[in-house]
Amino acid sequence: TQSASAINCVHLTEMLKDMCIFAAWVHGDPRKVIYPTDSYGQFCGQKDTLNENKTILFYFNILKCASPVVLINLQCPTTQLCVSKCPDRFATYIDVQASYRYKPDQWNYFRQFCKPGFNNPRKSVAQVLRDEDCPSMIIPSRPFLKRCFPDFSTKNGVLTVANQTTFKDGRGKTRNVTDLREAANGINNVLDARSVGMKIFEDYAISWYWILIGLFIAMIVSLLFLVLLRFTAGVLFWIFIFGVIGIIGYGIWHCYWEYDHLKGIPGSDLTVYDIGFQTDFRVYLQLRQTWLAFMIMLCVVEVIIILMLIFLRNRIRIAIALLKEGSRAIGYIMSTLFYPIVTFILIAICISYWAVTAVFLATSGEPVYKVMANQTLCKYANLTCDPETFNTTNVTKLCPGAQCTFAFYGGESLYHKYIFIFQLANAFVFLWLVNFAIALGQCTLAGAFASYYWASRKPADIPLWPLFSSFGRAIRYHTGSLAFGALILAIVQLIRVILEYLDHKLKGTQNSFTRFLLCCLKCCFWCLEKFLKFINRNAYIMIAIYGKNFCTSAKEAFFLLMRNVVRVAVLDKVTDFLLFLGKILVAGGVGVLAFFFFTQRIPVFAQEAPTLNYYWVPLLTVIIGSYLVAHGFFSVYAMCVDTLFLCFCEDLERNDGSTAKPYFMSASLHRILGKKELSPKKAVG
């Protein structure tokens, strides 16, 4: 049964993976993501093509981008051409044509933005504009995301382009620069985001090595804590608890100090609603309301932690006893602390596979052209067309100004109709593989720690290289069980993804019953996923101990936990809470140190601290990164505690402490958990 389960699960995984990879890599083309595409479906900047040196997309008439068609099709209804560089001056075709005879250099510059091969300045303006041979105008632009956008700037608070507030549109009108701003609606937000993004990039470029130093300190602190837990587990966890209380208390004091310091400063009494959304987040730190909100949130968290400590003080002592035993196990098997690196590498491979396949799927298909018309009442608008025969149809007569331009990549084949199904299959395989990598790590760690617990004499009877031995057993004997458990969890997670997708699609509907039903389903499947993760985790522990299949191990683990439900309620959440406090302490401690450093409040390192646009950029990176680093190390500890707890419950049921059936638990754990003293034979363990 075990072998058949392994073969079936592995074959099913390989079949789905091969199906997604074959379909995606045969039809996909990631160049469609890398390179922008002109109106003819040709890539800009692609090697070995006529556009190899033309890497930027140029819009003939960006004023047309204000058309409602842009919002519908995400395409600007104007000719788009690949160019080598963006224009750097104002010019119109009318002026260039008029001055062609005595200023040929102007024409030579202007015609590089015309269609390839066009070099007839004597052609009438009306015919040129009708046939879209050349743009009616060019304006100073700069490349962004490989597209030419107007080079906006402000001068004395007035919007300008190349220090001008007006320009000629090449059709006999003088337009204001604000028309360009309206035509590029949304580009403004992109440009603002670019400004913020460039500042953030600069901050990372200046402070990246300090960020790495902060993460390295977090790693050292996490390792130091886990090593010290080997000898002073109880003391250190109380340090965790009061350290977190102290850090949050300092945060409350700092928020109050900022709140009081801003009193009387003009503008500080404004609300967040008054100033609206600002790209410069430092503006919000100048408001008293911001610091008051921070202070209230921290006070609530502080009160909750203190109340939990008061009511759970006795249970915390029991949890600390189990944590002490876990620290001894990790002390004997230190290699387990570095196993999260293996899991990280496996998950990184899964993410890479999913991302590459998703890109190939998303870029599948042939160029699809659609009619782009300025007239919203044009009956041919948004219909597919053929650019080679478009000029011979009546569309241009019935809808003046209409064009057949590239819209997207797609197709009408059976494959393209069901490409969404392939994306779901790709997502499902991704979830399955990630859950399998996590399951493999949990089973491997559980096997290593179980070998510690069931050793009669510790550490003499602990097997040599327990982590590698456990990893070998998991790969050789338990692949099917791990894949089956990952499969069940992946199915539930995929259903949650589909429900989120449906909720997003139906968000604008007015059917209250549908929204209520979706909300209930999302809640139920969220609870089911959490329950399955809990069951799977304990099932993998039982698999590591006894080597039985997944279903049998899950059943035995569930009933074993139910027979010890009081201990589960006491130890599971309390232990998780203590480990969470440890993660918070590491992240918070390193975060406070980083805050003082990046704000140049440490006199010794004031000269070394970089000058930043936003000090919160490296600060948040250090805090989040430190928490993830601590989580990686403490997850090993959590797995150790869960394994020892199940082994302890199993030990109590299988043995009675007699000479014939002695306990395998340590004397200190046996005493604290309320059992009578161990027999002398096992007390030495």
Side-chain angles (χ1 to χ4, degrees):
T1 303
Q2 185 83 4
S3 301
S5 176
I7 293 173
N8 291 335
C9 285
V10 171
H11 282 184
L12 183 56
T13 306
E14 291 295 330
M15 182 180 66
L16 284 173
K17 181 175 69 173
D18 292 342
M19 179 179 64
C20 289
I21 292 178
F22 176 79
W25 289 18
V26 168
H27 297 276
D29 190 349
R31 296 175 303 175
K32 302 168 187 176
V33 177
I34 301 173
Y35 304 107
T37 310
D38 61 14
S39 297
Y40 308 101
Q42 298 175 345
F43 300 121
C44 297
Q46 183 185 351
K47 292 183 178 181
D48 301 327
T49 65
L50 296 176
N51 292 331
E52 181 176 358
N53 297 321
K54 300 177 180 180
T55 60
I56 308 171
L57 192 67
F58 170 73
Y59 298 93
F60 265 35
N61 188 357
I62 199 171
L63 292 172
K64 291 185 178 181
C65 295
S67 169
V69 178
V70 178
L71 300 177
I72 298 173
N73 298 307
L74 299 178
Q75 286 290 330
C76 188
T78 185
T79 300
Q80 300 165 37
L81 197 69
C82 297
V83 297
S84 57
K85 61 181 180 179
C86 296
D88 58 6
R89 66 193 71 171
F90 284 107
T92 65
Y93 180 79
I94 297 175
D95 294 339
V96 171
Q97 186 190 53
S99 62
Y100 167 68
R101 293 183 178 179
Y102 53 90
K103 291 183 179 180
D105 292 340
Q106 291 187 2
W107 168 249
N108 292 331
Y109 178 81
F110 191 89
R111 75 185 183 93
Q112 65 180 319
F113 303 104
C114 299
K115 289 182 178 179
F118 180 80
N119 190 16
N120 185 13
R122 294 180 178 84
K123 188 175 181 179
S124 67
V125 175
Q127 290 178 332
V128 169
L129 299 183
R130 180 199 64 190
D131 298 336
E132 292 275 354
D133 293 321
C134 289
S136 62
M137 63 173 181
I138 58 174
I139 58 176
S141 306
R142 64 172 61 181
F144 177 60
L145 297 177
K146 296 185 179 182
R147 290 163 175 81
C148 291
F149 290 145
D151 188 6
F152 291 114
S153 61
T154 55
K155 185 177 181 179
N156 298 325
V158 179
L159 183 68
T160 63
V161 173
N163 295 325
Q164 295 189 27
T165 57
T166 60
F167 66 97
K168 295 180 181 179
D169 66 356
R171 299 177 184 272
K173 294 182 180 181
T174 300
R175 309 286 290 266
N176 194 288
V177 169
T178 55
D179 294 337
L180 287 174
R181 191 61 168 260
E182 294 176 0
N185 186 25
I187 297 178
N188 177 35
N189 294 332
V190 173
L191 294 175
D192 290 340
R194 179 187 65 176
S195 177
V196 175
M198 288 300 296
K199 291 180 180 179
I200 292 176
F201 179 79
E202 291 174 0
D203 290 341
Y204 277 124
I206 295 173
S207 61
W208 65 270
Y209 49 91
W210 294 109
I211 294 175
L212 292 180
I213 291 174
L215 297 180
F216 180 76
I217 293 174
M219 184 184 71
I220 295 300
V221 172
S222 300
L223 275 174
L224 184 62
F225 274 144
L226 292 178
V227 171
L228 291 178
L229 284 175
R230 173 69 177 84
F231 308 101
T232 58
V235 175
L236 279 181
F237 271 102
W238 285 113
I239 291 175
F240 283 176
I241 295 170
F242 291 109
V244 170
I245 293 175
I247 290 176
I248 297 176
Y250 168 78
I252 295 172
W253 175 85
H254 182 78
C255 292
Y256 174 78
W257 183 86
E258 293 283 0
Y259 176 79
D260 185 68
H261 179 70
L262 292 173
K263 185 177 182 180
I265 297 178
S268 62
D269 291 326
L270 294 174
T271 63
V272 175
Y273 179 80
D274 293 333
I275 65 173
F277 176 76
Q278 301 291 328
T279 56
D280 188 353
F281 297 103
R282 290 177 295 183
V283 174
Y284 298 107
L285 299 181
Q286 306 301 321
L287 304 179
R288 301 185 74 202
Q289 185 188 62
T290 302
W291 293 105
L292 179 62
F294 287 160
M295 183 172 63
I296 292 175
M297 288 188 293
L298 290 176
C299 286
V300 171
V301 173
E302 185 87 328
V303 170
I304 292 175
I305 292 177
I306 292 175
L307 290 177
M308 291 182 68
L309 292 175
I310 293 174
F311 290 103
L312 298 177
R313 60 187 185 276
N314 292 326
R315 296 181 178 182
I316 288 176
R317 293 194 186 99
I318 300 175
I320 288 177
L322 196 58
L323 290 170
K324 287 182 179 179
E325 188 69 15
S327 67
R328 295 190 186 95
I330 293 178
Y332 290 127
I333 316 175
M334 291 293 292
S335 58
T336 55
L337 292 177
F338 301 97
Y339 186 84
I341 299 176
V342 178
T343 302
F344 172 79
I345 294 174
L346 293 176
I347 293 178
I349 294 173
C350 296
I351 294 175
S352 300
Y353 150 75
W354 167 80
V356 171
T357 307
V359 168
F360 272 90
L361 285 171
T363 56
S364 299
E366 300 297 328
V368 175
Y369 302 89
K370 288 195 173 185
V371 177
M372 300 293 176
N374 292 327
Q375 300 177 4
T376 56
L377 298 179
C378 178
K379 64 179 182 179
Y380 296 102
N382 300 324
L383 296 181
T384 57
C385 57
D386 186 353
E388 296 182 358
T389 61
F390 182 72
N391 291 331
T392 62
T393 63
N394 294 326
V395 178
T396 55
K397 297 179 181 179
L398 299 176
C399 302
Q403 300 178 35
C404 182
T405 61
F406 168 78
F408 54 86
Y409 287 95
E412 301 297 331
S413 66
L414 185 66
Y415 165 76
H416 294 100
K417 290 181 180 179
Y418 293 97
I419 195 169
F420 180 72
I421 304 299
F422 283 99
Q423 287 284 19
L424 284 180
N426 183 39
F428 173 70
V429 173
F430 165 71
L431 294 173
W432 194 355
L433 292 177
V434 168
N435 286 316
F436 178 80
I438 295 174
L440 178 62
Q442 291 176 343
C443 187
T444 299
L445 292 174
F449 294 127
S451 65
Y452 160 82
Y453 185 91
W454 298 110
S456 300
R457 296 174 300 159
K458 304 176 179 64
D461 291 341
I462 299 177
L464 186 64
W465 308 110
L467 182 65
F468 294 102
S469 300
S470 178
F471 182 79
R473 290 194 302 271
I475 291 293
R476 183 176 180 181
Y477 300 110
H478 309 318
T479 304
S481 297
L482 301 180
F484 184 70
L487 172 65
I488 297 174
L489 190 56
I491 292 174
V492 175
Q493 290 174 336
L494 183 66
I495 294 175
R496 290 194 62 203
V497 171
I498 296 174
L499 289 176
E500 291 291 344
Y501 174 78
L502 293 176
D503 184 46
H504 176 73
K505 288 294 184 181
L506 300 176
K507 189 162 290 186
T509 62
Q510 302 299 321
N511 192 331
S512 57
F513 175 76
T514 303
R515 294 199 303 271
F516 172 76
L517 180 61
L518 276 176
C519 183
C520 293
L521 289 174
K522 287 166 61 178
C523 180
C524 292
F525 277 96
W526 179 84
C527 295
L528 179 60
E529 181 183 353
K530 295 297 181 183
F531 176 75
L532 287 177
K533 285 184 176 180
F534 176 77
I535 291 297
N536 283 11
R537 183 183 179 93
N538 290 281
Y540 300 147
I541 296 174
M542 297 299 286
I543 290 173
I545 297 174
Y546 293 109
K548 299 180 180 179
N549 60 50
F550 176 82
C551 294
T552 303
S553 299
K555 181 185 70 173
E556 293 180 356
F558 177 77
F559 286 111
L560 179 62
L561 292 173
M562 289 300 99
R563 291 193 295 270
N564 297 271
V565 65
V566 177
R567 292 192 180 96
V568 173
V570 170
L571 297 177
D572 186 57
K573 294 304 176 184
V574 174
T575 303
D576 290 343
F577 176 67
L578 290 176
L579 295 177
F580 174 73
L581 291 183
K583 301 172 193 176
I584 293 296
L585 180 60
V586 173
V590 177
V592 169
L593 180 63
F595 171 77
F596 281 112
F597 175 78
F598 288 119
T599 56
Q600 300 180 350
R601 300 188 184 187
I602 302 178
V604 179
F605 297 100
Q607 299 297 326
E608 300 292 334
T611 302
L612 303 170
N613 297 301
Y614 310 113
Y615 73 86
W616 51 265
V617 171
L619 178 61
L620 287 180
T621 305
V622 169
I623 292 175
I624 296 174
S626 298
Y627 181 84
L628 294 177
V629 169
H631 176 74
F633 286 104
F634 281 88
S635 63
V636 175
Y637 212 93
M639 195 67 200
C640 177
V641 171
D642 289 347
T643 302
L644 296 181
F645 176 69
L646 270 186
C647 291
F648 164 76
C649 295
E650 189 73 8
D651 194 12
L652 289 178
E653 293 190 356
R654 289 171 50 182
N655 304 306
D656 56 9
S658 63
T659 304
K661 293 183 178 181
Y663 290 123
F664 284 82
M665 69 186 75
S666 65
S668 58
L669 180 62
H670 183 269
R671 181 173 56 254
I672 293 176
L673 290 175
K675 295 294 177 181
K676 57 186 178 180
E677 290 296 326
L678 293 171
S679 61
K681 178 180 178 180
K682 286 298 170 191
V684 297

